[in-house]
Amino acid sequence: MDSIGTNTAPEAGAIALTVQAPEVLAPDLVTVSVRQGLEAVDIIRRGAGRAVSAVGPVLHDGSGDTLGFLVPPGTADAWDLPGSACTQTDGRGMRFDDLAGAPTAGGTGWLLPPEAVGPVTDPEVLRAALGEAARLIEAADNCR
């Protein structure tokens, strides 16, 4: 290896070094009711006047009761929004090694697949959208 860290041809008898890519951390997963989750997706998409998609991949369960938003690793450590749960996915349940592939938990599929949206949803954007969604749902339910 030369002084700037690139590989050069090894000299006779030299030991060749292999550089491994850094480990990719699995995203955390925020799970909410399907009704609140769909509202939040709409809210984020309406407010996203950005070139980059503000909503990341979203999973739905086989029964259609919940949606799961992929968020950055570490989000679960401080997530405390009532009506939702945030769990670490690393090494448990679903594996996201190949985000473009199908999820491995039975009956789960993509509402918004990774190849169609950004890498993950920003937790603060998601928190605000879920709060607004809850208020909209409550207002709609009170009008009946």
Side-chain angles (χ1 to χ4, degrees):
M1 236 183 229
D2 64 17
S3 62
I4 58 172
T6 57
N7 284 328
T8 58
E11 296 176 16
I15 299 173
L17 297 175
T18 54
V19 178
Q20 296 179 349
E23 184 178 326
V24 176
L25 297 175
D28 289 351
L29 184 71
V30 172
T31 307
V32 297
S33 71
V34 72
R35 186 175 180 199
Q36 186 178 13
L38 289 173
E39 282 291 339
V41 167
D42 287 343
I43 290 165
I44 293 170
R45 286 189 149 182
R46 281 194 314 262
R50 306 172 188 99
V52 177
S53 179
V55 66
V58 178
L59 293 162
H60 65 83
D61 67 356
S63 66
D65 293 335
T66 61
L67 290 184
F69 292 81
L70 296 184
V71 294
T75 301
D77 297 336
W79 191 263
D80 61 352
L81 188 67
S84 67
C86 187
T87 56
Q88 296 173 338
T89 62
D90 188 34
R92 291 188 263 155
M94 303 180 84
R95 294 187 49 84
F96 299 100
D97 294 347
D98 177 13
L99 286 178
T104 58
T108 300
W110 294 111
L111 174 70
L112 296 174
E115 62 273 8
V117 294
V120 292
T121 301
D122 180 283
E124 293 308 313
V125 170
L126 180 58
R127 181 182 299 278
L130 290 172
E132 185 177 341
R135 290 186 294 278
L136 289 171
I137 291 168
E138 182 179 4
D141 288 350
N142 289 334
C143 289
R144 292 182 189 190

